[in-house]
Amino acid sequence: MSDLVSVALGERSYDIHIGSGVLQNSGKLIASLVNGSGTALPIVTDENVAKLHYKTLADSLTGFGFSPMPIVLPPGEKTKSFSHLQNLLERLLALEIERGGIIVAFGGGVIGDLAGFAAGILKRGVAYAQIPTTLLAQVDSSVGGKTAIDTKHGKNLVGVFHQPRIVIADISVLKTLPARERLSGYAEIAKYGLLGDAEFFHWLEDHAQQALAGDEAAITRSVVHSCKMKASIVVRDEREAGERALLNLGHTFAHALEAALGYSDSISHGEAVALGCVLAFELSAKLGHCTAEDAARVERHFAALGFKTRRSQIDGPRPSADELLGHIRHDKKTQGGRMTFVLTKGIGKAFVARDVEENVVKGLLSKD
Ligand SMILES: NC(=O)c1ccc[n+]([C@@H]2O[C@H](COP(=O)([O-])OP(=O)(O)OC[C@H]3O[C@@H](n4cnc5c(N)ncnc54)[C@H](O)[C@@H]3O)[C@@H](O)[C@H]2O)c1
Ligand SMILES: [Zn+2]
């Protein structure tokens, strides 16, 4: 049994296949897109994913006549670099990938972003399949076609929009995901409810514990609903001219926190997003856009799941308000010198604000 979510983008349309065990159908699903029998099929992955799940994927692909060629990279954000991109492109070229071929990105958001970017620029663009193996990648990074690497100037600053031809999200591979990674991915799920669907957030208030404890029905529903929401936003605004920016709820603060803490282990992206959502609701309440009760409800939800919802709970030296503001000013979403925030009129009612006064933000960040 698998669920299907379609991303309707005209000739760039594709389906997201979600379910427990869909990885075993990868051969059949990819064979329906390209005639690959006999040709080399590059599988870009990382060491952790390769060890745990490569065999399942490879068996399914060989069953449909493909010759999978693993390209195994080191795990971690550092792999999203110019040097790994160059190395990957050379290895793909050595496999003599044709323009009609397809590349498989098999891993978390790091692998998806890097392999997707490589596919986007190799021979001016070849097809790729996303097989996301982290919760974050299943609900967020594998859908929507944003690809990128990091540079010394910041994260995700060099990349292209390049939509995958298919996304295959197997819920069962999440069983091997470390608990902290699962929690981190969950923040993006809650984000969808908070930005545009109060009913979904309400459902999460009752079912998130279950989903995080490994209940397949609860995880599947969370992933399917998140993908539907992301797909519908991407379809309306593929290149982030407007509405897609709502997906950045909590992210202006999150990126500032991550940067101020040097992208260290003391906070993961999802942990920063949860804290960022709490701050976005607090700022909205402070500006009179939403009630203090809504802001408190968001904080209660994240705290109950074990997220840090106050900066004072983060290990290590606490970044100052000025330091955080410095990073916010440099955020790539800053336009015409004005800071851009996603604010909210209540749970499920996010909007983009470009008129927030810096001193109000500073006041908020000066608290704990
Ligand atoms: N393109 C987009 O739209 C978009 C959106 C959000 C985030 N991102 C990017 O995604 C990246 C983060 O992705 P991530 O959180 O998936 O991190 P990740 O890819 O680094 O994976 C996290 C860790 O989990 C391991 N792992 C992956 N699958 C596993 C499994 N099934 N079992 C056990 N271990 C497994 C990986 O080896 C890694 O150590 C960031 O670089 C971020 O910029 C991109
Ligand atoms: Zn995010």
Side-chain angles (χ1 to χ4, degrees), residues 17 22-23 25-37 41-43 57 60-61 64 66 100-106 127-131 165-168:
H17 299 258
V22 282
L23 187 58
N25 295 339
S26 304
K28 186 174 177 191
L29 290 169
I30 293 174
S32 71
L33 299 173
V34 289
N35 178 12
S37 50
L41 178 59
I43 314 293
L57 174 62
S60 173
L61 292 168
F64 280 82
F66 292 105
I102 192 164
I103 293 166
V104 175
F106 183 44
Y128 75 114
Q130 284 276 18
I131 308 190
R165 289 286 305 280
I166 187 169
V167 181
I168 303 170

Side-chain angles (χ1 to χ4, degrees), residues 136 140 188 191 251 269 273:
L136 178 134
D140 194 355
E188 307 284 359
K191 179 192 77 178
H251 280 64
H269 176 66
V273 169

Side-chain angles (χ1 to χ4, degrees), residues 46-49 52-53 74-77 80 106-113 130 132-138 140-148 150 155-156 170 172-178 181 184-185 188 191 230 244 251 255 269-270:
D46 75 25
E47 286 154 13
N48 298 333
V49 178
L52 294 161
H53 304 290
E77 186 72 27
K80 268 174 64 172
F106 183 44
V110 163
I111 290 297
D113 277 13
Q130 284 276 18
T133 62
T134 63
L135 188 54
L136 178 134
Q138 295 192 349
D140 194 355
S141 61
S142 68
V143 176
K146 276 191 184 177
T147 74
D150 306 330
K155 279 187 62 170
N156 298 323
D170 188 337
S172 71
V173 303
L174 301 176
K175 282 186 194 139
T176 57
L177 199 63
E181 295 292 347
S184 192
E188 307 284 359
K191 179 192 77 178
K230 178 143 189 190
R244 188 163 176 172
H251 280 64
H255 292 150
H269 176 66

Side-chain angles (χ1 to χ4, degrees), residues 282-309:
E282 270 184 25
L283 180 58
S284 304
K286 201 168 170 175
L287 293 167
H289 295 301
C290 79
T291 64
E293 171 44 28
D294 272 344
R297 189 174 155 195
V298 173
E299 181 171 359
R300 269 200 307 278
H301 178 63
F302 284 121
L305 295 172
F307 283 100
K308 293 169 181 160
T309 57

Side-chain angles (χ1 to χ4, degrees), residues 163-331:
Q163 299 291 345
R165 289 286 305 280
I166 187 169
V167 181
I168 303 170
D170 188 337
I171 303 301
S172 71
V173 303
L174 301 176
K175 282 186 194 139
T176 57
L177 199 63
R180 191 176 181 198
E181 295 292 347
R182 209 174 305 157
L183 193 65
S184 192
Y186 175 78
E188 307 284 359
I189 295 179
K191 179 192 77 178
Y192 290 110
L194 293 175
L195 76 88
D197 192 338
E199 215 174 292
F200 181 49
F201 183 72
H202 187 78
W203 183 85
L204 289 170
E205 286 179 312
D206 293 336
H207 296 87
Q209 291 284 13
Q210 243 169 290
L212 287 167
D215 180 283
E216 284 203 346
I219 300 188
T220 305
R221 173 143 186 215
S222 307
V223 174
V224 169
H225 197 88
S226 299
C227 286
K228 276 187 184 155
M229 284 191 70
K230 178 143 189 190
S232 71
I233 290 173
V234 166
V235 161
R236 289 193 293 266
D237 180 20
E238 187 179 3
R239 297 204 161 214
E240 202 167 315
E243 189 188 352
R244 188 163 176 172
L246 296 180
L247 295 170
N248 295 321
L249 176 64
H251 280 64
T252 305
F253 290 118
H255 292 150
L257 281 163
E258 289 180 275
L261 293 163
Y263 299 96
S264 68
D265 232 21
S266 54
I267 200 160
S268 71
H269 176 66
E271 288 162 353
V273 169
L275 223 155
C277 286
V278 172
L279 285 168
F281 269 79
E282 270 184 25
L283 180 58
S284 304
K286 201 168 170 175
L287 293 167
H289 295 301
C290 79
T291 64
E293 171 44 28
D294 272 344
R297 189 174 155 195
V298 173
E299 181 171 359
R300 269 200 307 278
H301 178 63
F302 284 121
L305 295 172
F307 283 100
K308 293 169 181 160
T309 57
R310 298 274 134 196
R311 280 172 304 129
S312 53
Q313 296 167 329
I314 300 169
D315 303 332
R318 190 178 122 189
S320 68
D322 280 327
E323 208 179 327
L324 292 170
L325 267 177
H327 288 293
I328 290 171
R329 277 189 220 107
H330 284 109
D331 197 88

